[in-house]
Amino acid sequence: MSNLRILVATKRVVDYAVKIRVNAAGSAVETANVKHSMNPFDEIGTEQAIQIKEALAKSKAGTAEVVVVSCGPSKSQETLRTALAMGADRAIHVDSDEELQPLAVAKLLKAVVEKEKPDMVILGKQAIDDDSNQTGQMLAGLLNWPQATFASKVELGDKSMTVTREVDGGVETVKTPLPAILTTDLRLNVPRYASLPNIMKAKKKPLAKFAAADLGVDIKPRLQTLKIAEPPKRQGGKLVESVDDLVDKLKNEAKVL
Amino acid sequence: MTSLLTLAARRVPLRLGRAVTSVSNQIRNISSTPLDPSVGLTDDQKELQSLARNFADNEFAPKMQEWDENQYFPADVLRKGAELGFGGLYTREDVGGSGLGRLETSIIFEALSTGCVSTTAYISIHNMCTWMIDSYGSEEQRQKYLPKLTSMEQFASYCLTEPGAGSDAGGLSTTAVKKGSHYVLNGSKAFISGGGSSDVYVIMARTGGPGPKGISCFIVEKGFKGLSFGKKENKLGWNSQETRAVIMEDCEVPVENLVGSEGQGFSIAMKGLNGGRINIGSCSLGAAQASLEAALEHVKVRKQFNQPLANFQNTQFKLADMATSLLSSRLMIRQAATMLDQDHPSVASFCAMAKLHATDECFKICDDSLQLHGGYGYLKDYKVNVYLRDSRVHRILEGTNEVMRLVASRSLLTE
């Protein structure tokens, strides 16, 4: 392979360490004035793309261009700048103030893929705000591309990739031709810190903006959230006298058996 | 042999590149409170701050107490920071520096200090040395020493204070006599941060007559003939830095290692102190921020008389006073940094007053936080005591707070 183009999808989400609250209307999680950052699995995706680029450069087997994309309101550009500061080459912001559910994002990304013609698309396995775990798979379906999800290891071959996946039953290795979809899992890599010089350099890297409307995609939500509530307050424990008593409580009170 | 479960539990925080070690490390919704240290910053400055805070949370915070307890100098973690550009924040880029301004530097030190004050303070001392060589050194000196210093392949120490010359720095007695191709240095320096572990020493010595105008600045390398070190000092805080006396007995320093010209040393030192004062003040800000965050968490959780401490008016008023002090300190430090960037004629006063105010107020905030923790604050299991002990010395070094009053009043009363 000579020149690889890797498209990395990123999402701006509420920071993982924030103690989230349901908003006053009871309709959604409160996101106003709350710290946001890049979805951790997308950081892993960005890191993986940069590592592939560095490995190619080091072995002189070719070059890679890392293009990072994010769909969302104007604040999504913060996330893109973080990715540029880590080492991505350029960024694309698909601008929309509407609620974007996974299917809509997959359709928007398909439009970007058709413009950019990447050799692989890397996404996080899920976003930590909605935990949908759908976008990568839906994108693969829409593009009719192979997919390797929950990746814990990736090796690039000649027009192919070999991916070790973490699945419920253990670990599975698949090989797919390129172009393909990859979704990242936790143990794939440890994302680097952006260095100060790279943060300064990132300001000069190209960041293109498209309105979601201009991509000719139907992004209307298909799912409606009916209710959102905090989990019930933690109750005191109870001491049980016997195993039978414990089993009875687990069955009839906690209802977990 | 740890079980897989323990391994998995421990691996997760490390793999994400972050360590969530305790409630007090979790980010509160600070962005909606006046304690948010990013208020008033540009987007670029916020990015730098974010990087520094993440680095502090992940690399410093989990280890801070261990380093304090074991008096361990974390060279490996410092070098990791240097890879990101912390080794030469306001040193020029051609020698590996980051070329930032003093305000950006202050923001970064403040953020790093929330993780470990002592280690951040050392970074600031190292940065002052690299800046001195960068600003006043010859091109040969810059190219010879700075690349290794900005990467922290080598560490630097700053040597001005002597057993007989602290506040009266201009009265120092270490001599430097020119003999052919060398200066021969005789004397000793006290309380040198990094003394013994550093590779490069920026030393002020007397080449001329008495008083400030007779002082010159030299670059001395560990290993030069006649350079030795005293015992490692046992300190109340700043325990992740080794502090020793630096002793020169007929220490031979090549003439090429004179920085600037003979007699310029004191002026270099004074310029260095302006920035150094902002840096130390910034470290105090970080200590106070972390202590206040810890206190806020504690008073919501700790109950007495059937209610959280946060319900009592005294607690509320105390927290309000602490937050007010922190904000005033932060504003003064940041303004002084801006004055330094802009080279305001009264910059020395701005820096002195900011240092005076911030170091005094922030120490009080750490002390108040310890009080709010009650008996638990006195236990080393909790972090507050480390912030308190580390920030205590900030009222003394870089010019005592008494000397800060001298500097400020002089500028007020001079015609």
Side-chain angles (χ1 to χ4, degrees), chain A residues 135-149:
Chain A
T135 310
Q137 293 90 329
M138 285 177 168
L139 179 60
L142 290 172
L143 289 171
N144 204 25
W145 281 15
Q147 58 179 287
T149 55

Side-chain angles (χ1 to χ4, degrees), chain B residues 7-24:
Chain B
L7 273 176
R10 258 199 273 133
R11 273 175 76 205
V12 171
L14 285 171
R15 290 296 304 187
L16 267 182
R18 295 178 184 83
V20 180
T21 54
S22 73
V23 165
S24 60

Side-chain angles (χ1 to χ4, degrees), chain B residues 275-312:
Chain B
R277 284 165 189 171
I278 295 171
N279 292 345
I280 286 299
S282 306
C283 293
S284 286
L285 293 177
Q289 176 81 19
S291 298
L292 186 42
E293 285 177 14
L296 284 165
E297 290 300 331
H298 184 79
V299 300
K300 287 193 285 190
V301 164
R302 172 69 177 174
K303 285 189 172 153
Q304 284 290 269
F305 308 107
N306 271 320
Q307 44 190 321
L309 301 184
N311 284 6
F312 300 120

Side-chain angles (χ1 to χ4, degrees), chain B residues 168-239:
Chain B
D168 183 14
L172 64 82
S173 57
T174 299
T175 52
V177 178
K178 197 164 180 185
K179 282 195 175 131
S181 61
H182 285 80
Y183 283 92
V184 179
L185 270 58
N186 273 289
S188 64
K189 297 293 182 182
F191 302 131
I192 302 307
S193 301
S197 43
S198 289
D199 310 276
V200 172
Y201 297 81
V202 178
I203 299 185
M204 300 296 176
R206 188 171 299 288
T207 46
K213 294 218 168 67
I215 296 172
S216 305
C217 178
F218 296 92
I219 302 174
V220 180
E221 292 177 39
K222 192 179 189 182
F224 277 3
K225 179 160 168 252
L227 188 73
S228 63
F229 306 98
K231 71 166 180 34
K232 190 168 104 161
E233 308 287 6
N234 225 357
K235 310 187 296 287
L236 178 65
W238 274 33
N239 285 322

Side-chain angles (χ1 to χ4, degrees), chain B residues 70-86:
Chain B
N70 298 330
Q71 297 189 8
Y72 176 73
F73 176 66
D76 46 341
V77 179
L78 284 166
R79 287 184 172 126
K80 217 169 167 183
E83 272 174 47
L84 303 182
F86 297 153

Side-chain angles (χ1 to χ4, degrees), chain B residues 102-110 274-286 325-341 347 350-362 394:
Chain B
R102 301 313 297 261
L103 177 56
E104 283 77 29
T105 301
S106 165
I107 290 162
I108 289 171
F109 284 151
E110 180 185 348
N274 286 335
R277 284 165 189 171
I278 295 171
N279 292 345
I280 286 299
S282 306
C283 293
S284 286
L285 293 177
S325 291
L326 177 53
L327 272 188
S328 67
S329 302
R330 180 175 287 146
L331 286 173
M332 282 194 78
I333 290 284
R334 288 186 182 174
Q335 186 187 48
T338 305
M339 294 299 104
L340 187 56
D341 277 334
V347 64
F350 278 105
C351 296
M353 288 191 282
K355 190 262 191 193
L356 166 63
H357 187 77
T359 55
D360 275 349
E361 291 303 307
C362 291
H394 299 187

Side-chain angles (χ1 to χ4, degrees), chain A residues 15-19 21 33-35 37-38 40 43-44 81-82 85 186-191 193-197 199-200 203, chain B residues 11-12 14-18 20 26-27 29 31-32 43-44 47-48 51 54-55 58-59 83-86 89 98 100 108 297:
Chain A
D15 188 273
Y16 82 98
V18 167
K19 289 180 200 168
R21 300 264 183 276
N33 288 323
V34 159
K35 184 174 201 267
S37 49
M38 194 194 295
E43 280 186 347
I44 293 174
R81 259 186 264 120
T82 303
L186 192 61
R187 276 163 279 278
L188 180 57
N189 62 48
V190 178
Y193 296 103
S195 68
L196 292 176
I199 290 177
M200 311 306 273
K203 288 190 286 188
Chain B
R11 273 175 76 205
V12 171
L14 285 171
R15 290 296 304 187
L16 267 182
R18 295 178 184 83
V20 180
Q26 286 186 335
I27 303 165
N29 289 350
S31 49
S32 57
D43 282 342
D44 287 345
E47 268 197 77
L48 300 177
L51 165 67
N54 276 342
F55 189 81
N58 299 332
E59 309 291 336
E83 272 174 47
L84 303 182
F86 297 153
L89 288 167
S98 303
L100 297 177
I108 289 171
E297 290 300 331

